[in-house]
Amino acid sequence: MTSPLSPPLVDRPVPGSDPTRRFWPFGWWRLVDTRIGIIPLPIYAIVAVLLAILTSEGEIRPDGPTMIAVLVLGGFTCAEIGKRLPILRNIGAGAIFATFVPSALVYYKLIPPQVEKAIVDFTKFTNFLYIYIAAIIVGSILGMDRDVLIKGFLKIFVPLAVGSLVAGAVGTLVGTMLGLGARHTFFYIVVPIMAGGVGEGAIPLSIGYAQILGQPQGDVFAQVLPPVMLGSLTAIVLAGTLNFVGKRYPHLTGEGKLQPDHDATPPGDAAAKAEANSGQVDVSTIAAAGLTAITLYLLGVMAHHLTGLPAPVAMLFLAVLAKLSSAVSPHLQAGGFVVYKFVQTGMTYPLLFAIGVALTPWDKLMAAFTITNLITIVATVTTLMGTGFVVGRLLGMYPIETAIVNACHSGQGGTGDVAILTAANRMALMPFAQIATRIGGALTVTGTLVALRWLTGMPA
């Protein structure tokens, strides 16, 4: 007979049994906490089945909920495969697979046409690449110390400029030695690599070449696009390799910081970091920070119409101005950090998957895979990054970070920046990457077209 104070018999554990070994709910919870990327395993299975059914019924639409499911499933699946490959996982295989596997799947017709069309329409019409870049730039700038921010922006132009000159000379020399000809190597391989991607680089470059040389723009574009694609792939692989090197030799890297912070963190920055790291930022502050990022982007768009400065670059300067003038409170800065981390964690691989489907032509990438082109492109990108490494170290900056920023100068525009920094696990460098891509690319295209016009009457 039990005492009135004894617990009921039904609540007593059976001797030798462990309640946590029961499948429901403990086993199920363990299953839910098993993830592919950010996706709980049961949710992954349900979404995969639902999308298969919707595809078979012809119900895939380019609306927000459907595309979120498609891109999250595709992006994290490809990234997870890359991250599990021996050796390759150490050199950014997650970002490489998330970008280039979907490109190959589209080319070989392994993605249903209606899914491909929905992804292309969603990517182009929503322009969510710039939402991503806005959140990353604003969050990372708000997370920097003021002194480091000022010194970093002033210093970064030196390794970029020196790297561009040395890489241009070395790449042209290598291509010439391989029989490609100095003029062809420089204008059709080396310059496109550092032109700033497709929209801001290859297209205006091909238009300028066509006008100066009197050739069809389409034919010129077909020549300059493959080096852009392969140069970006080379930069992704090398950036991932530098991330691995940084883990072996930590004194060479700031893990996303461009240079050492020798001074004390300003009180406002310290308060913002402490609040963000405490996990106690309220939801309304996070929402306000997200809207702040969008507002700065729209101001950048307005500045583009007024001055011609690319919208991401204008937004970048506005964010720096807001940071340096203390226009953003520490509380809102903390919200910006959270937005930055959320976007980095949840949107990167889905975005890369969308880029692979909509903006990365597999056939153009494969067209660059001749041995002479490959050697020339690898030599150019390696020299660009290596020069950044050496010059950055001489200037007292972290050499791995400066090399990675220089790598973005050879990337596929904003999409390349995302892939390169993801492979390097250095998304905090996005503001400097945008300088390398947008400003560096614009200067490269402008200077090259001026030089070509001057050389037009000279023999090849």
Side-chain angles (χ1 to χ4, degrees), residues 4 22 28 32 44 63 73 91 131 136 144 200 225 252 267 276 294 314 323 327 350 379 388 409 424-425 428 449:
R22 288 187 239 145
W28 173 255
V32 170
Y44 183 95
D63 57 79
L73 189 75
I91 58 173
I131 297 176
I136 290 292
M144 293 182 192
E200 296 88 350
L225 182 60
L252 296 176
I294 297 299
K323 172 72 175 182
H409 188 29
N425 195 27
L449 293 179

Side-chain angles (χ1 to χ4, degrees), residues 134-191:
I136 290 292
I137 285 179
V138 172
S140 56
I141 285 178
L142 295 182
M144 293 182 192
D145 297 331
R146 288 180 181 82
D147 291 341
V148 174
L149 181 62
I150 296 170
K151 295 174 182 176
F153 269 87
L154 293 175
K155 283 185 177 180
I156 195 60
F157 287 100
V158 179
L160 272 174
V162 177
S164 299
L165 293 173
V166 176
V170 171
T172 303
L173 178 62
V174 170
T176 304
M177 292 174 63
L178 292 173
L180 295 174
R183 187 164 177 167
H184 175 82
T185 301
F186 180 76
F187 287 106
Y188 289 92
I189 298 179
V190 173
V191 168

Side-chain angles (χ1 to χ4, degrees), residues 2 128 135 295:
T2 62
F128 79 110
T295 302

Side-chain angles (χ1 to χ4, degrees), residues 196-198 200 228 232 408 410-418 434 437-438:
V198 179
E200 296 88 350
V228 174
S232 187
C408 293
S410 59
Q412 190 185 336
T415 62
D417 290 345
V418 175
Q434 288 289 296
T437 301
R438 310 289 181 177

Side-chain angles (χ1 to χ4, degrees), residues 369-413:
F369 270 99
T370 65
I371 189 63
T372 51
N373 281 354
L374 185 61
I375 293 173
T376 304
I377 291 169
V378 171
T380 302
V381 178
T382 302
T383 303
L384 180 62
M385 295 177 66
T387 305
F389 186 99
V390 173
V391 174
R393 193 168 192 179
L394 292 174
L395 292 175
M397 307 165 81
Y398 287 114
I400 285 180
E401 270 64 27
T402 51
I404 291 170
V405 171
N406 269 22
C408 293
H409 188 29
S410 59
Q412 190 185 336

